[in-house]
Amino acid sequence: MRSITTLAAAILLFGSPALAQPSDNVADTTAEATQGIGPGARPVGAQWSRSPVVAPNGMAATAHPLATQVALNILQDGGSAVDAAIAANAALGLMEPTGNGIGGDLFAIVYDPETEQLYGINGSGRSPAGQTLDQLRERLGPDATSIPPVGPLPVTVPGTVDAWFALHERFGRLPMAQNLAPTIRYAREGHPLAPVIAMYFGRNLTRFEENQQRYGFDFDNGRATYFAGGAPEPGDTFRNPDLADTLERIGANGRDEFYEGETARTMVDYLRRQGSAFTLDDFATHESEWVDVACVAYRRGYELCELPPNSQGFAALQMVNILRNVDLSQWERGSPEVLHYITEAKRLAFEDVARFYADPAFSAAPEGLLTPEYGRARFSEIDPARATPAFSPGTPDAPELEGPGDTTYLTVADSSGMMVSLIQSNYRGMGSGLVADGLGFMFQDRGELFSLDPDHPNAYEPGKRPFHTIIPAFVMHDGEPFMSFGLMGGGMQPQGHVQILVNLVDYGMNLQEAGDAARLMHDGGRQPTDALSGSAADTVPIDDLGTLYVEPGVPAETIEALRAMGHNVEVEETGMPFGGYQAIARHPETGVYIGATEMRKDGQAAGW
């Protein structure tokens, strides 16, 4: 790994104020360097956006330009959209390990033109089958109210590789070894680090070092794999030969290499040395689940489609179910009325997320969550003039229940009309901090999202999947496939999905403008990790009203009006909390693909 040493190279990659104010600190970038000048002009479209990408034969949109090119090459070699999505996901695990990798989980929606159906796959992993909640609590200590974000305790079985092979068996055309070959080559030869990803490398190193002092987990392998010379910088050549070897074994030996073979034995041996309760059988018995995709009508023939719990996809559907009761287009997009209704719909939906969403094998979500009647009932709780101080979970008509982050998203479409919406993550930051000997990837920390309240549907149990934040999305229009899209970023994801839909349907923005437009992100309220209200474990105070974060593109008068309505509004200028969007839409008459990608990330949409 070699750092950039020339000023010219540094300016090209991430800018420098040095041209205006000579300085040795090239990391002091845009705020000073761009003072006194604004954006250029565009002949068509919004001045703050750029053109969508159009292509007739195929399209890929990912968080890294090289991963996009990998996907296109697979398509041009005769691969399906699923082959290309797997190849791109593998590449992102190498190139964007700050958000994903084969130590994490995967969810996807596939539109299959042959059957004209949407297929959903839940590739999330489970907790150790031999560890009870009482045993976990004993390890955490008597004062623990949550599972830590690092070390062995938040690790769940990585589900990504099994999901790859399940998708490939059903929809793949090329050998898996061919799909993984580009990433193996880049892992050995190296690739230049992108600027936003490099920034996240630095943030993750700081987080790991702080947490190592607090929790005392093993970070030796993680440091050697990702931070041998400190946090890498933009343009540094990054290599990961251990990951290349692991992927090569998977390509040659198949799914069982990761869950039963040499790689599985290495993972389990390492995890048990760290104090984990995992056994080889936990890995060998893991399998992904094909699930039904649920859709909710919005307006003008558009339907938003998401995956069911244990993911939070239904949160976006609940928001749509609430918002379709008001015509937002009667106000300007940046008005306080529109932001108020979106925020209150989010708060209402997330109260239900915290109360009901969990592994359906252990606790099924209420059947009435997505009915029009329930949407109208929840909408009626919104005060159009004021922020409600506190909402509670609703009471959908359903059976009684027992008892009172960092991600990558990508989408690919091929010449047959197959469209893939895929999201993959290690959860918080790069994950648990744990890297097994010689394997080149970090284990996820998804188990942090279990509740420790035994009465909660999302309570930790042996062999259970935790609540999941990552959600792919799809939009149908008049019963036909319209758009494959997603937006990474923890609790931002359902909020982002809805804002994209509103921008397209209510305000007529094009695919790129819909993602570039200023966003809101509400944070606060009850979480799926919290104890149920009134239970013995309910000792942590809840920030009911929360904070409404907005980007600088929201008008100042709107911000003041929202504050006057009772919202706690903060302007966030970094773009980091607002997610990472990719999208592909298909023209209903010509079949031409339109692609868009996130300006807040390093990615690219491209077609052929």
Side-chain angles (χ1 to χ4, degrees):
M1 190 167 63
R2 179 178 61 84
S3 295
I4 298 175
T5 56
T6 66
L7 176 62
I11 291 172
L12 288 172
L13 279 166
F14 55 92
S16 170
L19 294 179
Q21 299 175 357
S23 169
D24 293 332
N25 184 3
V26 295
D28 260 346
T29 56
T30 53
E32 296 178 39
T34 58
Q35 280 184 349
I37 193 167
R42 280 178 51 78
V44 295
Q47 295 298 300
W48 37 259
S49 188
R50 62 191 187 280
S51 297
V53 178
V54 292
N57 300 311
M59 183 75 69
T62 84
H64 197 295
L66 294 179
T68 298
Q69 292 303 311
V70 164
L72 291 181
N73 290 340
I74 292 293
L75 292 179
Q76 291 167 338
D77 287 343
S80 68
V82 161
D83 288 312
I86 292 169
N89 188 197
L92 289 164
L94 167 71
M95 298 170 182
E96 192 192 20
T98 52
N100 75 118
I102 59 173
D105 286 345
L106 179 155
F107 291 77
I109 298 173
V110 178
Y111 176 77
D112 176 27
E114 184 173 337
T115 59
E116 298 183 342
Q117 290 185 16
L118 292 174
Y119 295 86
I121 192 164
N122 178 335
S124 61
R126 296 163 175 84
S127 59
Q131 179 174 263
T132 66
L133 176 57
D134 286 342
Q135 289 169 329
L136 175 62
R137 279 187 167 282
E138 184 176 351
R139 299 199 55 193
L140 291 170
D143 298 327
T145 59
S146 63
I147 298 172
V150 290
L153 298 184
V155 175
T156 50
V157 174
T160 292
V161 172
D162 184 80
W164 282 354
F165 279 89
L167 287 163
H168 184 262
E169 181 179 8
R170 196 164 198 169
F171 299 113
R173 296 179 194 152
L174 301 181
M176 186 64 86
Q178 185 173 347
N179 294 335
L180 300 182
T183 300
I184 294 169
R185 184 178 68 252
Y186 274 121
R188 291 210 170 100
E189 297 176 2
H191 76 280
L193 208 65
V196 174
I197 295 170
M199 180 271 294
Y200 280 111
F201 261 105
R203 289 170 61 89
N204 273 276
L205 179 57
T206 299
R207 167 183 170 264
F208 285 135
E209 289 177 337
E210 291 174 349
N211 281 328
Q212 191 176 30
Q213 294 179 7
R214 181 178 178 183
Y215 297 106
F217 67 99
D218 172 33
F219 189 50
D220 290 346
N221 288 349
R223 188 183 295 278
T225 300
Y226 296 108
F227 305 102
E233 298 176 359
D236 282 355
T237 298
F238 182 81
R239 298 179 178 86
N240 191 340
D242 287 346
L243 180 60
D245 292 341
T246 298
L247 292 175
E248 196 164 57
R249 289 194 304 274
I250 292 170
N253 302 325
R255 174 261 179 210
D256 288 351
E257 166 62 34
F258 192 85
Y259 295 95
E260 300 180 49
E262 175 188 343
T263 302
R265 291 189 292 272
T266 300
M267 287 191 287
V268 172
D269 287 347
Y270 172 79
L271 288 171
R272 290 188 70 84
R273 290 202 311 271
Q274 306 309 313
S276 172
F278 277 117
T279 66
L280 190 57
D281 192 57
D282 288 319
F283 279 71
T285 58
H286 169 78
E287 60 181 359
S288 302
E289 179 185 6
W290 292 99
V291 297
D292 292 333
V293 181
C295 300
V296 165
Y298 183 50
R299 54 173 58 95
R300 299 186 180 92
Y302 290 92
E303 292 180 286
L304 179 63
C305 304
E306 304 271 357
L307 297 185
N310 55 312
S311 86
Q312 63 174 340
F314 277 17
L317 298 186
Q318 286 192 248
M319 289 181 66
V320 165
N321 203 23
I322 293 168
L323 289 172
R324 66 182 179 181
N325 293 285
V326 58
D327 181 7
L328 296 179
S329 66
Q330 64 185 289
W331 301 289
E332 291 185 352
R333 178 61 180 87
S335 69
E337 291 88 353
V338 171
L339 273 67
H340 172 69
Y341 273 112
I342 292 174
T343 301
E344 297 296 88
K346 179 269 178 186
R347 295 178 61 209
L348 283 163
F350 273 57
E351 286 295 318
D352 287 349
V353 170
R355 177 62 183 87
F356 301 120
Y357 289 28
D359 185 343
F362 290 76
S363 182
E367 295 175 1
L369 284 175
L370 304 182
T371 64
E373 294 79 13
Y374 186 58
R376 287 194 293 270
R378 294 299 264 168
F379 175 77
S380 69
E381 297 184 47
I382 297 177
D383 182 338
R386 297 286 302 171
T388 300
F391 287 116
S392 299
T395 53
D397 181 19
E400 286 294 319
L401 294 170
E402 296 182 2
D406 295 307
T407 303
T408 200
Y409 174 81
L410 65 94
T411 177
V412 182
D414 65 25
S415 58
S416 77
M418 181 176 288
M419 302 172 74
V420 179
S421 180
L422 186 151
I423 197 159
Q424 207 259 300
S425 173
N426 282 10
Y427 184 48
R428 190 183 299 278
M430 294 177 71
S432 65
L434 302 184
V435 175
D437 303 327
L439 296 188
F441 64 87
M442 188 172 291
F443 290 105
Q444 64 186 1
D445 51 4
R446 185 61 64 174
E448 184 190 352
L449 284 177
F450 279 119
S451 172
L452 296 179
D453 180 355
D455 294 326
H456 197 291
N458 186 45
Y460 178 92
E461 295 184 57
K464 185 176 182 178
R465 296 172 297 189
F467 167 78
H468 252 273
T469 57
I470 59 175
I471 50 173
F474 205 92
V475 174
M476 303 291 287
H477 184 236
D478 292 337
E480 299 293 326
F482 174 69
M483 179 172 68
S484 171
F485 82 111
L487 192 145
M488 60 196 82
M492 177 65 205
Q493 293 176 58
Q495 305 178 60
H497 290 189
V498 172
Q499 290 175 72
I500 296 297
L501 188 67
V502 165
N503 290 346
L504 291 168
V505 176
D506 293 315
Y507 293 94
M509 296 184 193
N510 69 40
L511 204 65
Q512 185 64 48
E513 292 167 346
D516 288 345
R519 297 182 191 141
L520 65 83
M521 195 277 287
H522 178 269
D523 187 37
R526 192 169 291 278
Q527 304 296 319
T529 53
D530 294 335
L532 293 176
S533 179
S535 74
D538 183 23
T539 58
V540 179
I542 303 300
D543 180 12
D544 288 305
L545 184 59
T547 301
L548 175 56
Y549 295 95
V550 299
E551 292 191 287
V554 173
E557 55 269 27
T558 292
I559 294 171
E560 291 309 310
L562 288 167
R563 287 172 176 158
M565 296 168 77
H567 291 282
N568 296 324
V569 185
E570 292 188 15
V571 180
E572 169 57 57
E573 297 185 355
T574 67
M576 287 190 290
F578 299 99
Y581 160 77
Q582 324 285 348
I584 297 173
R586 190 173 190 185
H587 193 285
E589 297 175 1
T590 66
V592 167
Y593 287 118
I594 303 99
T597 193
E598 177 61 77
M599 71 171 184
R600 300 162 187 84
K601 300 286 184 177
D602 297 309
Q604 180 188 45
W608 69 289

